[in-house]
Amino acid sequence: MAGGLGAGLGCLASRIPPDRPADGEEILRMIFLGLVIALAAVVVGTAVVLDDTGEAQLTLFGDGVPGVTEQWHVFMAGAVVAIVFVAGAGVAALGYKRAIGMRRELRDLRDEHEQSLQTLEMERRKLQQALAQARREMDEAPVPAQRVAPS
């Protein structure tokens, strides 16, 4: 069941181009879908907690966990572990997204810097050619004779 849902969400995500910003209606649909899924999880979790009233024991690294004596305690411990896992995966995904964004920004800045350097180099060459041309013209121009003032 989870594989089918994951495949469906992957298919949905592949239809939306990453460079196109989502419009308000799509965002509202995603919020609504997230709330429906969260509500379904709460309903299923409540049903499991209310239905499982038998005795149970939870062991961790070979030792019994104190305070866990019923099946719903085990379920709640699993729910807490799942929440912590999802939070950790979310933080890792956000960090990965941020790293990708920073890499993209650095690449863009590097390209912009390279383009700026090329523009400056072309400008320098043009100025050197203009200076050389001006010096040639000055060398080729006849030097006017200096007048000597009568004394």
Side-chain angles (χ1 to χ4, degrees), residues 24-88:
E25 188 175 325
E26 285 179 358
I27 292 171
L28 289 177
R29 274 191 247 141
M30 292 302 292
I31 291 172
F32 178 73
L33 178 64
L35 290 174
V36 167
I37 292 171
L39 181 64
V42 167
V43 168
V44 169
T46 303
V48 168
V49 167
L50 294 176
D51 191 40
D52 290 334
T53 57
E55 291 186 19
Q57 181 179 2
L58 181 63
T59 58
L60 182 66
F61 302 117
D63 295 326
V65 177
V68 178
T69 57
E70 296 185 26
Q71 290 180 0
W72 71 271
H73 291 155
V74 175
F75 176 80
M76 293 306 288
V80 168
V81 168
I83 289 170
V84 170
F85 173 78
V86 168

